[in-house]
Amino acid sequence: MAKAFAPGKCILFGEHAVVYGHPAVAIAIEQGVNVSIEKFDDWVIDGKSFDHSKYPHISHILHDLFEYKGEPLKIEIESQLFSAAGLGSSAALSNAMGAALHKLINPQEKLDIIKLAKIGHSAEAAAQEGRASPTDTATSALGGCIVVSGERLTGTEHVFDAELVTPEGKRSWSVCKAILPEEIEDVWLILGFTGEASPTGKMVANVADLLSRDPDKKSIMTNIKEITQRGLDALSVGNFEVVGMAMNECHEQLRSLGVSSDSLDRLVEASKPYSLGAKMTGAGGGGCMVALSRNPQRVSEQIEISGGKPMISKLVSKGVRLI
Ligand code: PMV
C-alpha cells in the first residue's frame, strides 16, 4: 500500500489583490488530506465504484499525468479539512494523490516536490475549466509560508515559476518561499469556519464588477499590496504583533471590497480580544476566517460561542509527505 499526506492552507495576506497581479501570502496548516492506494481487483474509491466524473483531479492525475495503465486500484481518502471553505482541500487531495501514486509506481525514486506541485496545479486547472492559481498546490506541496506573485518580493526565496494557458491567455507566476525565523515562538493560527461555502468564482466576479463600476476602489488593491509587504516583513523577523496588525488592516480592506460577510465579521470580532490579529481568509462570502494568537484555546471558544467551527494549527507546518 502507498500512503501520503498533504496539508491544507490559509491565505494570510493578498487574497483578491493576487488576481490583479499583486502578491499573496499563504501558509500551510497542520490539517490536510490522507490518501492511500493499493492494487485491487476492481476500481474502488472510498468503498464505492470509481466514477471518474466525480473525481476530476484524481482522474487527471492517473490518466493524463501518470498515464497509469496498470491493475485497478483501491483509493481511500480521509480529509481533516472543511470543504469549500478556502482551505485548499482539492489541492491537498491532488498533492496527496500524486505523492501516493508516485510511491506505488516508482517506490525507489525520490519524491520531487516541485514536480508534484506542478502536477497538483495541472489537476486543479483541469478540474476548474483551465483557471487556477498555483497558490494552494504550491503551499500544500512545499509547506511553510509561500508567496505567489507576478513579481519577486524582498524577503523571499525563489522556488519555481508556474505557468498556465487559461481561456483568457497564458498566465505566469513566481512561487517563492518566505524566509521565516528559525525558531517560531508560541504563536498559533486559529481557523474559524462559518459553515457557509465560499464561492470563489462568484466573489472574484463581484470584485471585478465593483471595480468596473467604481474605479476609485482600485486603490484598495494597492492598499492590500502594501499591507501584504508589511505583513511579510514582520513575519520574516518574527514580529507577530505587527503581523497581527497587518491582518486586522487587511480585513478592513477586504470588507470595503464587499467580500466579507456578517458571519465572517462576527467571528473576526469575537476573536480579536484574544488575538494579535484576525481576518477573513480566501475568497470570502462564507468560508473561513483566521486569527493569530498566543491563546488558541480561548480564541477557539470565542469562535464556537459565535457560531463558528474552530480548528487550531501550528504557524509553520510541513508540506506533502509519504507516510
Ligand atoms: O478561497 P480560496 O482559497 O479559493 O481563495 C481564493 C483567492 C482569491 O484571491 C480570491 C482568488 C484567486 O484565484 O487567487
Side-chain angles (χ1 to χ4, degrees), residues 15 210 217-225 227 246-260 280:
E15 51 271 89
L210 176 76
K217 297 262 184 204
K218 284 191 181 134
S219 61
I220 297 176
M221 297 305 182
T222 26
N223 295 344
I224 294 180
K225 178 190 173 184
I227 294 168
M247 288 169 72
N248 290 341
E249 283 178 57
C250 192
H251 184 70
E252 289 313 313
Q253 295 297 322
L254 291 164
R255 264 168 59 84
S256 32
L257 266 187
V259 293
S260 191
M280 54 160 274

Side-chain angles (χ1 to χ4, degrees), residues 5-9 27-33 92 95 113 137-146 177 180 313-322:
F5 170 83
K9 69 91 185 54
I27 202 148
I29 58 173
E30 252 179 282
Q31 295 78 7
V33 175
N95 284 347
I113 302 293
T137 43
T139 309
S140 173
L142 303 168
C145 183
I146 298 300
K177 239 178 176 327
L180 301 183
S313 168
K314 285 187 296 202
L315 183 61
V316 179
S317 297
K318 289 199 184 116
V320 67
R321 68 207 89 129
L322 296 169

Side-chain angles (χ1 to χ4, degrees), residues 207-215 218:
V207 170
D209 185 45
L210 176 76
L211 298 185
S212 70
R213 278 185 291 113
D214 186 353
K218 284 191 181 134

Side-chain angles (χ1 to χ4, degrees), residues 127-142:
Q128 293 169 194
E129 294 166 23
R131 296 181 190 92
S133 99
T135 314
D136 290 16
T137 43
T139 309
S140 173
L142 303 168

Side-chain angles (χ1 to χ4, degrees), residues 30-31 186-191 270-271 273-275 291-306 308-314:
E30 252 179 282
Q31 295 78 7
D186 208 14
V187 63
W188 303 80
L189 293 173
I190 306 94
L191 284 314
S271 304
Y274 306 97
S275 301
L292 183 73
S293 175
R294 297 197 170 94
N295 193 350
Q297 295 303 343
R298 194 73 187 86
V299 176
S300 281
E301 283 163 24
Q302 287 293 108
I303 289 172
E304 229 165 350
I305 291 166
S306 310
K309 292 188 189 124
M311 198 161 79
I312 300 173
S313 168
K314 285 187 296 202

Side-chain angles (χ1 to χ4, degrees), residues 82-85 192-198 263-264 266-267 285-289 307-309:
F82 306 121
S83 60
F193 181 38
T194 56
E196 296 147 16
S198 172
S263 49
L264 283 166
R266 192 167 58 242
L267 301 187
C288 289
M289 48 71 67
K309 292 188 189 124

Side-chain angles (χ1 to χ4, degrees), residues 9 11 15-16 18-19 86 136 198 200 204 282-283:
K9 69 91 185 54
I11 298 183
E15 51 271 89
H16 288 287
V18 67
V19 176
D136 290 16
S198 172
T200 304
V204 170

Side-chain angles (χ1 to χ4, degrees), residues 65-287:
L65 301 174
F66 280 82
E67 298 181 0
Y68 183 78
K69 294 195 174 63
E71 291 166 55
L73 301 175
K74 182 177 167 190
I75 304 166
E76 298 282 345
I77 303 165
E78 188 245 325
S79 177
Q80 306 154 344
L81 301 169
F82 306 121
S83 60
L87 296 183
S89 60
S90 65
L93 171 63
S94 299
N95 284 347
M97 178 67 197
L101 196 58
H102 169 87
K103 188 181 173 196
L104 190 86
I105 298 173
N106 311 304
Q108 311 302 338
E109 223 178 274
K110 202 170 172 283
L111 197 62
D112 178 341
I113 302 293
I114 294 175
K115 194 168 159 200
L116 203 58
K118 291 186 174 178
I119 287 174
H121 185 205
S122 167
E124 287 268 276
Q128 293 169 194
E129 294 166 23
R131 296 181 190 92
S133 99
T135 314
D136 290 16
T137 43
T139 309
S140 173
L142 303 168
C145 183
I146 298 300
V147 184
V148 172
S149 175
E151 60 198 85
R152 292 184 193 176
L153 267 79
T154 53
T156 65
E157 196 178 280
H158 178 252
V159 185
F160 69 96
D161 290 318
E163 38 175 60
L164 185 71
V165 179
T166 73
E168 289 76 34
K170 194 164 150 189
R171 291 188 61 191
S172 44
W173 300 266
S174 185
V175 176
C176 301
K177 239 178 176 327
I179 301 159
L180 301 183
E182 296 266 307
E183 293 284 317
I184 300 260
E185 56 165 319
D186 208 14
V187 63
W188 303 80
L189 293 173
I190 306 94
L191 284 314
F193 181 38
T194 56
E196 296 147 16
S198 172
T200 304
K202 178 171 168 270
M203 300 315 289
V204 170
N206 287 353
V207 170
D209 185 45
L210 176 76
L211 298 185
S212 70
R213 278 185 291 113
D214 186 353
D216 285 351
K217 297 262 184 204
K218 284 191 181 134
S219 61
I220 297 176
M221 297 305 182
T222 26
N223 295 344
I224 294 180
K225 178 190 173 184
E226 281 160 20
I227 294 168
T228 301
Q229 182 69 67
R230 208 166 343 115
L232 195 57
D233 291 344
L235 254 182
S236 63
V237 294
N239 187 342
F240 297 111
E241 275 71 20
V242 173
V243 176
M245 276 156 54
M247 288 169 72
N248 290 341
E249 283 178 57
C250 192
H251 184 70
E252 289 313 313
Q253 295 297 322
L254 291 164
R255 264 168 59 84
S256 32
L257 266 187
V259 293
S260 191
S261 69
D262 290 347
S263 49
L264 283 166
D265 289 345
R266 192 167 58 242
L267 301 187
V268 165
E269 286 312 314
S271 304
K272 270 186 179 171
Y274 306 97
S275 301
L276 299 163
K279 64 182 276 290
M280 54 160 274
T281 180

